[in-house]
Amino acid sequence: MFKKLMQLFDNDIKKEKNDSREIFASLLVRAARIDNEYSISEKDKINKILINKFNVSEGEAIKIRTFGEGLESSIVDTVQITKEIKKNIPFEYRTALAEDLWSIILADTKRTEDENSFMRTCIKLIGVNDVDSAKARQAVINRINEKNDASYPK
C-alpha cells in the first residue's frame, strides 16, 4: 500500500516536471514559428536543446517538443507562456533561456523583423535585460561562426 501511495506522489512529480519541460518547449516552438517558417533545422535544434537541458533521450525530446507544439498552438499570447516560465524557471537560469531562444531564432541563419520584435518582447517578459540578451545573442553567433568557420551577420 505504501508503494502505491509513493507511486502516486512520483507520478505527480513527474507530471509537474513534464509540464515545465513542455512549457519550455512551447516557448522554443513559438520562437521557431514566429517567422512562419518552422523548419526541420529548427525542430532539430529544439530537440538538441531539450536533450541537453533535461538529460532526456532523443525520443523523449521529440515527445516533449511535439507536446510543446500543441501547447504553443493552443496559447494565443506569449505572455501566458512566459508567466509559466517565470513560475518554473529560477531567475538565474533565464539568461541561458535567452541564449536558447536566440539559438532558435538564428538557426535558419536569417533574422526577420518579426523575430527581432518577438525577442525584444519575450526577453523583457522573462525578466532578462537588454544587455544580457545581447550577450546571449553574441554567444550564439560566436558558436555558429566557430562551427561554420564563417562570419554570421551581427
Side-chain angles (χ1 to χ4, degrees):
M1 184 165 147
F2 184 71
K3 283 184 182 180
K4 286 185 181 181
L5 185 60
M6 288 306 294
Q7 285 176 333
L8 287 174
F9 285 118
D10 285 345
N11 287 339
D12 285 347
I13 290 168
K14 286 178 185 171
K15 182 169 179 15
E16 189 175 302
K17 194 174 191 180
N18 283 340
D19 288 345
S20 297
R21 293 172 182 183
E22 292 156 356
I23 291 165
F24 178 81
S26 73
L27 188 59
L28 297 178
V29 169
R30 173 79 36 115
R33 288 180 172 169
I34 206 72
D35 64 355
N36 298 314
E37 291 180 30
Y38 188 35
S39 68
I40 291 172
S41 67
E42 289 170 320
K43 290 178 183 181
D44 289 344
K45 187 68 175 168
I46 291 170
N47 291 342
K48 287 176 186 169
I49 290 170
L50 295 172
I51 289 166
N52 291 329
K53 283 282 185 234
F54 300 117
N55 197 27
V56 296
S57 68
E58 184 176 5
E60 186 66 19
I62 291 169
K63 279 196 241 179
I64 295 167
R65 178 184 45 80
T66 302
F67 192 89
E69 289 169 352
L71 188 59
E72 187 276 335
S73 294
S74 69
I75 296 175
V76 177
D77 190 3
T78 303
V79 174
Q80 291 174 288
I81 299 172
T82 56
K83 273 186 183 178
E84 292 302 313
I85 292 287
K86 286 168 80 171
K87 285 182 200 174
N88 291 295
I89 297 179
F91 180 77
E92 55 271 13
Y93 296 113
R94 292 192 207 146
T95 301
L97 171 57
E99 207 168 303
D100 293 335
L101 288 166
W102 277 115
S103 71
I104 298 301
I105 294 294
L106 300 173
D108 59 5
T109 66
K110 59 185 178 216
R111 276 171 54 194
T112 67
E113 193 49 48
D114 287 339
E115 290 172 324
N116 287 331
S117 177
F118 168 80
M119 286 302 291
R120 279 191 300 275
T121 301
C122 189
I123 291 300
K124 288 189 184 351
L125 290 172
I126 63 171
V128 174
N129 66 47
D130 292 337
V131 172
D132 288 338
S133 175
K135 287 178 184 176
R137 181 184 66 240
Q138 193 57 51
V140 171
I141 290 170
N142 290 343
R143 278 198 306 275
I144 291 170
N145 288 342
E146 286 172 11
K147 182 179 173 188
N148 295 336
D149 198 31
S151 183
Y152 187 90
K154 297 179 183 189

